[in-house]
Amino acid sequence: MSALERVFGDDPAHLPELAYHTAEAARADPELRATAVTRLGRAAEAAVARLSFEEASALLAQARELATDAPAGERARLALAHAAAEVRAGRSVPGSRLAEEAIAAARETDDVLLRVEAAIRYEDARWRPGLAGERSLRYLDEAAALLDGLDPAESEPAEGELRVRLAVARLRALAMSGRSREADAADADALALAAGSPTMEANVLSVYLGHLVLHRGVDEGGPLIARLVELEPAIHDGDVALHALHDRIMFATLTGDVPEARRLVDVMAEQQRRWRSRFWQFVRTNQEAMEAFYLGDLAESERLAEHCRALADRLPDEDGTGVYGLRMFLIRREQDRLAVVAPVLRTVVARAGGDPLWTPGLAWLLAETGSIDEARAALADLRATDFRVPHDAMWGTVMAMLTETVVLLGDQEACATLRDRLAGLAGTNVVTGSGQLCFGRGDRYLGMLSFTLGDLATAEEQLGTALEGDAAGGSVLWANESRLWLSRVRRAQGHAPEADAMVRVVAHEAAAAGLTRLTRLAAAEPVA
């Protein structure tokens, strides 16, 4: 070892090689273990600085293997560093397990700040794959009690930042646990603590925004988005900056500002490449796939659906099969090839055991393919609850599926129930999850329900609003879907020539875009 040390010294370029050889020697000579762990840790830090997170994770795994007899504090810090590298490499679930190991080791120490850091890192790893926040809350509440028990006279400089990060983590865990009132209170606390730090304030706003929009409506998010725009130049953390961009893309999509969403996706792509985040690459690619389907480009949509599934396979926390299945269901529908996916979807639903997403999906498929009695049977249990499904990020998607189904079934009682349920979707786009699919304007679904109920004046207004919004967004698919439904309304109102003109536009644009289902439906309309 001395020869390598004389040759390389502290040259950062040769640190990984020196660390490797020291680690190999330490396996035979326990006296070298402390030196090996130190060098592996330094090499890992250098790898993180180069944004080479998988290399850092591998180095830290070796360090932890050699540090099994080290003091608890050192084992906790190594586990935390390893957890952070795993998360940044796109492996959040393994990262959360490492953070939990750090929590256990830190509990053997009297280092309060270390124990708090471990709890924060655990929650940070858990939210990315969408894991519920209850388990995180137990650790975070324990950490908060430890911080509150500190003597103010012995406060350390790092304590203030930890309090802010802890508040942000707790806010997110509460929101993900569905504890709405507590999340509202936690948001106010976190914002107060974050005052003066643009990065921390942006982090708080990003965490709270999705919760606010989901539970209070899109309009409530406007002021938060405006503040994120103001803060953007001063955000110095790549993860926070990407999260803020994602929120702005989602808000622009929900409010129908598709050109702004498109511009922000390009900005996000540049930042994601700079930070080399697999997680945000996956998020961004999903947004690109969402736009392709929204526009009606089925070939690009299918290509990106395959790409998203491949990216998900590289992220062990992400099960891309559900979203992939939903995308392919919709693509095949627009290609008029739903019979191809019917056997697969039946298998998925059987395995899901009454899942609130796939049961409406099956009912919709059955109704679309003419199996009306089977569709009624598939929908019966949900119908008996007045279509009360979890109000989460998939709620709008489920409502869209249910609307399509009950309209095809001509179930007026169900249509009336759903029209009341969907009232809050007026004026917004229907978006799946964190940006996987966009179904166009919610007003279209309301208009379909109103038309089925015979409320032609309301249907005309709703479908006209949907057509205007979908066309402004550049969606050949959804604009022509809205136009087709509006033509049916105008025909029922006695305006056949106007209806015929609309149908001809649908036929022309759908055929040009390769939208086979819409082309078939337009051809079936009673045009003079």
Side-chain angles (χ1 to χ4, degrees), residues 65 151 285 290 334 493 522:
E65 180 186 339
D151 184 346
T285 307
M290 173 177 70
E334 298 311 324
Q493 290 172 324

Side-chain angles (χ1 to χ4, degrees), residues 149-343:
L150 286 177
D151 184 346
E154 299 178 2
S155 176
E156 298 183 31
E159 183 185 329
E161 181 184 342
L162 268 185
R163 286 188 183 276
V164 182
R165 291 173 56 216
L166 179 61
V168 171
R170 191 169 184 278
L171 165 61
R172 182 163 46 217
L174 286 167
M176 292 186 70
S177 300
R179 292 160 64 169
S180 182
R181 292 183 182 178
E182 292 175 86
D184 291 341
D187 173 63
D189 293 342
L191 280 174
L193 287 168
S197 169
T199 297
M200 296 309 297
E201 183 183 350
N203 200 7
V204 175
L205 294 175
S206 286
V207 168
Y208 188 56
L209 182 63
H211 168 81
L212 185 68
V213 168
L214 181 64
H215 291 284
R216 296 193 194 172
V218 174
D219 291 344
E220 294 289 329
L224 277 69
I225 290 293
R227 182 58 179 157
L228 281 175
V229 174
E230 292 175 2
L231 292 170
E232 182 180 5
I235 299 173
H236 299 302
D237 182 287
D239 202 53
V240 175
L242 286 163
H243 200 316
L245 275 171
H246 167 65
D247 289 333
R248 291 173 59 193
I249 292 165
M250 283 293 294
F251 189 79
T253 304
L254 284 166
T255 55
D257 192 350
V258 176
E260 174 66 359
R262 189 176 298 125
R263 183 188 72 81
L264 291 170
V265 168
D266 291 339
V267 174
M268 188 178 188
E270 180 183 345
Q271 288 209 16
Q272 177 269 317
R273 283 190 291 268
R274 187 188 314 156
W275 289 95
R276 300 184 193 175
S277 168
R278 282 190 177 179
F279 173 75
W280 289 113
Q281 179 191 17
F282 178 67
V283 171
R284 175 181 58 79
T285 307
N286 271 282
Q287 290 164 339
E288 292 173 348
M290 173 177 70
E291 183 187 11
F293 183 76
Y294 172 79
L295 294 175
D297 188 341
L298 300 186
E300 181 66 0
S301 180
E302 185 162 356
R303 184 190 73 80
L304 286 167
E306 297 287 354
H307 185 36
C308 287
R309 186 173 70 165
L311 288 174
D313 289 343
R314 293 168 57 194
L315 296 171
D317 315 327
E318 297 291 343
D319 180 3
T321 55
V323 172
Y324 176 77
L326 179 57
R327 282 190 173 123
M328 296 312 298
F329 170 86
L330 292 167
I331 291 168
R332 296 291 179 257
R333 176 183 185 243
E334 298 311 324
Q335 292 171 334
D336 221 15
R337 297 172 57 200
L338 267 185
V340 174
V341 299

Side-chain angles (χ1 to χ4, degrees), residues 131-154:
L131 298 175
E134 289 291 351
R135 190 167 180 176
S136 297
L137 278 170
R138 292 200 296 271
Y139 292 134
L140 294 170
D141 287 344
E142 177 185 310
L146 289 169
L147 274 182
D148 289 342
L150 286 177
D151 184 346
E154 299 178 2

